[in-house]
Amino acid sequence: MTELQTGRPADTKERLGREIRVYDYLDNLGIEYKRVDHEAANTMEACAEVDKVLGTLMCKNLFLCNRQKTNFYLLLMPGDKKFKTKELSKQINSARLSFAEPEDMLKYLDIEPGSVSVMGLMNDKDHKVQLLIDEDVKNSQFIGCHPCVNTSSLRITTKDIFDVFLPAVGYEPRIVTLLGED
């Protein structure tokens, strides 16, 4: 894992277009961010190591849908909370939530499994995905997220996410309270 960097990578030859578009978007909005490059973070343990370097609250990003696949949700929640479908379903009045298919991630957010991130909302021009954010994430100082790839991670102030990024992409998040209890 490399050390914490400020802003976009100097050399972008080996980077995917979806990652570069995130840096371009953030730079155009004037949002400052710290970045760390790392091996693919495919487990919560790997993500925890990245978050230590970033100095952020570990954030789970879950891409969900209802049984009919007519409603899609991006849920941002603390990594140390257990996800309880029933608990969230009750709050958003949607029965039978499950994880959405990889094809739907790609279709709506231009993201592949393991790379789900709030940054993907910049690719959802038709606003097909509803954004749900746990209150503990909203109340944290920073949000850690991937730039649409799981080999880099960003630290952005929560204030910049809520006051600059989300309005720019046309999203009003719904705040939920998850206890992670049965």
Side-chain angles (χ1 to χ4, degrees), residues 5 10 14 23-24 40 48 53 67 75 77-78 82 84 91 103 107 109 112 119-120 123 127 134-136 144 150 167:
Q5 305 287 318
E14 303 295 318
Y23 301 137
D24 290 343
V53 175
R67 181 178 28 183
L75 171 64
M77 65 181 287
K82 288 189 181 204
K84 301 289 184 177
Q91 287 186 55
E103 303 81 46
K107 178 180 177 182
L109 301 177
E112 295 183 18
M119 293 294 117
N123 300 314
H127 296 92
D134 180 82
E135 66 181 351
D136 289 340
N150 68 354

Side-chain angles (χ1 to χ4, degrees), residues 70-174:
T70 54
N71 294 321
F72 292 88
Y73 305 92
L74 175 60
L75 171 64
L76 279 61
M77 65 181 287
D80 60 356
K81 282 190 183 180
K82 288 189 181 204
F83 174 61
K84 301 289 184 177
T85 307
K86 185 177 178 182
E87 183 182 27
L88 181 61
S89 293
K90 188 183 296 183
Q91 287 186 55
I92 65 171
N93 199 26
S94 176
R96 304 287 302 246
L97 288 175
S98 63
F99 292 99
E101 298 295 326
E103 303 81 46
D104 294 320
M105 281 183 214
L106 202 53
K107 178 180 177 182
Y108 295 117
L109 301 177
D110 192 25
I111 292 178
E112 295 183 18
S115 304
V116 177
S117 163
V118 68
M119 293 294 117
L121 295 176
M122 65 183 249
N123 300 314
D124 183 17
K125 304 295 187 214
D126 296 325
H127 296 92
K128 296 291 186 186
V129 178
Q130 297 175 52
L131 177 60
L132 309 172
I133 301 179
D134 180 82
E135 66 181 351
D136 289 340
V137 172
K138 183 185 188 310
N139 294 330
S140 64
Q141 183 178 4
F142 297 104
I143 289 181
C145 61
H146 293 305
C148 296
V149 297
N150 68 354
T151 52
S152 288
S153 295
L154 307 176
R155 179 180 77 192
I156 303 172
T157 66
T158 305
K159 182 175 178 18
D160 278 345
I161 293 290
F162 276 85
D163 295 351
V164 183
F165 180 77
L166 292 178
V169 296
Y171 268 89
E172 181 71 35
R174 182 167 177 183

Side-chain angles (χ1 to χ4, degrees), residues 41-51 58-62 77-81:
N42 293 320
T43 65
M44 290 309 289
E45 292 78 18
C47 291
E49 289 301 313
V50 170
D51 287 331
M58 183 170 45
C59 188
K60 280 187 214 174
N61 298 273
L62 305 178
M77 65 181 287
D80 60 356
K81 282 190 183 180

